[in-house]
Amino acid sequence: MTLLFSFDWRKLDVYRKIDKGLTQPTATGAIISLICMAFIFYLLIAEFMAFLSIELVSELYVESSDSVDEKIAVQLDITLPKLNCSYVGLDIQDDMGRHEVGFVQDTKKTPINEGKGCRFEGHFFVNKVPGNFHVSTHSASSQPTNIDMSHFINELRFGDDVRVLELEGGFNTLAGRDMTMSNAVVSHEYHMKFVPTVYEDASIKLNSYQYSSAYKSFIAFHHSGAVIPAIWFRYDLTPITVKYVRRRKPFYTFLTSVCAIVGGTFTVAGIIDSIVFATNELFRKIELGKLS
């Protein structure tokens, strides 16, 4: 016990103090110290502001939901400048056996070009299985003589509207697609691959879908032998889900950054000061002729 209490704990001090009489202040060292402190102050303020800000983090996972009742909201806005509204209709099909011709619920048709064209808007739901929906004249009571499916896609979105969140991604990939100068007799087919996208924060949870697309055109013949073009949107889903979460950095990361900034800056400044001091001493010795 006597040995334990007689042990000098000061020997564990890794921050040994040097008497001020053994140190030499320099003007260069003072300048470097001021620059160092200003630099540390700037970095600490920047790091603190970054800590206070809420960052958007994304992650990927495999979706495990198998609910057959899940639906995907579709927002379609397309302009057909050369087809009268009376002939325009929407048909929906999928792998669960759904087949609706002339879907009209929550759809709107606005005549344009003095009635020669039509702007078609629809808000509808599709099952969460592979399928398609297409704009066609299949539901019309009579077929026009010349069917021209040239078109311009104003908007095509799936799931909840995330525009106010300003998320980057392919949520409206086909918007602005201009096919108004295409061949009048061809059908248009867009193959889309959906990527489920979830956004969460403290107050809301939104389920949307990003998508990629591929396009082809072809001539479609009816069983009667007539050419009846249409605009097909075929879709499939990927099992991978993208999740966006807004959150603040943990406090320990802020403390780690502060330690790194202070320690790293002082270390680098000390190296620079040592090099400058050694260089000045070398030139001073050369001037005095003491360099051997």
Side-chain angles (χ1 to χ4, degrees):
M1 292 293 292
T2 303
L3 291 176
L4 179 62
F5 284 105
S6 64
F7 178 74
D8 189 357
W9 293 98
R10 292 178 298 177
K11 293 181 179 180
L12 300 179
D13 185 5
V14 296
Y15 303 103
R16 302 295 181 92
K17 310 303 183 292
I18 301 176
D19 191 276
K20 290 185 177 181
L22 300 177
T23 59
Q24 177 183 349
T26 63
T28 303
I31 294 174
I32 293 176
S33 298
L34 290 174
I35 295 175
C36 175
M37 287 186 287
F39 186 65
I40 289 176
F41 179 76
Y42 169 76
L43 290 182
L44 289 179
I45 293 298
E47 187 63 30
F48 182 69
M49 296 303 295
F51 169 70
L52 292 180
S53 64
I54 298 177
E55 61 179 348
L56 183 65
V57 181
S58 64
E59 58 185 40
L60 302 177
Y61 64 91
V62 177
E63 188 177 31
S64 59
S65 175
D66 58 356
S67 174
V68 296
D69 298 325
E70 286 192 65
K71 306 289 185 181
I72 300 175
V74 182
Q75 184 68 46
L76 174 65
D77 184 349
I78 187 170
T79 299
L80 300 97
K82 302 175 184 177
L83 187 63
N84 188 280
C85 282
S86 60
Y87 299 113
V88 177
L90 177 69
D91 309 328
I92 305 174
Q93 297 174 289
D94 63 35
D95 288 357
M96 292 182 65
R98 181 182 182 183
H99 188 184
E100 295 186 47
V101 178
F103 184 88
V104 295
Q105 185 178 356
D106 293 326
T107 60
K108 177 183 178 182
K109 294 188 284 187
T110 306
I112 59 172
N113 296 341
E114 298 181 352
K116 297 178 181 179
C118 185
R119 180 174 181 176
F120 180 84
E121 299 172 77
H123 180 74
F124 53 96
F125 292 86
V126 296
N127 294 319
K128 203 173 181 180
V129 295
N132 76 80
F133 52 91
H134 50 279
V135 178
S136 70
T137 61
H138 298 163
S139 61
S141 57
S142 62
Q143 295 296 312
T145 304
N146 298 308
I147 305 174
D148 190 338
M149 282 290 172
S150 57
H151 60 277
F152 183 90
I153 301 176
N154 304 300
E155 180 181 12
L156 181 56
R157 294 180 180 272
F158 301 91
D160 296 329
D161 194 344
V162 295
R163 280 176 287 187
V164 294
L165 303 175
E166 297 182 352
L167 298 178
E168 294 183 358
F171 294 97
N172 197 14
T173 304
L174 287 176
R177 186 64 178 262
D178 189 352
M179 301 300 296
T180 55
M181 302 303 294
S182 61
N183 191 323
V185 298
V186 301
S187 287
H188 308 269
E189 188 168 285
Y190 298 95
H191 288 260
M192 299 175 294
K193 184 72 72 172
F194 288 178
V195 180
T197 304
V198 178
Y199 171 84
E200 285 186 2
D201 63 19
S203 58
I204 60 172
K205 178 178 180 180
L206 299 176
N207 293 281
S208 188
Y209 295 84
Q210 301 182 61
Y211 65 94
S212 59
S213 66
Y215 169 82
K216 74 173 183 178
S217 61
F218 60 95
I219 297 178
F221 290 93
H222 192 256
H223 58 78
S224 62
V227 176
I228 303 182
I231 306 171
W232 296 78
F233 299 93
R234 302 187 185 276
Y235 59 89
D236 197 359
L237 293 95
T238 63
I240 302 298
T241 297
V242 180
K243 183 177 181 180
Y244 291 99
V245 180
R246 293 191 187 275
R247 61 190 178 201
R248 183 176 285 116
K249 293 181 179 180
F251 184 67
Y252 68 83
T253 62
F254 172 69
L255 292 180
T256 303
S257 298
V258 169
C259 293
I261 290 170
V262 175
T265 304
F266 272 118
T267 300
V268 173
I271 294 173
I272 295 174
D273 181 61
S274 297
I275 293 174
V276 172
F277 179 77
T279 304
N280 288 337
E281 286 294 299
L282 178 62
F283 280 110
R284 190 172 65 85
K285 289 180 179 180
I286 293 175
E287 291 176 354
L288 297 175
K290 295 183 177 181
L291 186 64
S292 55

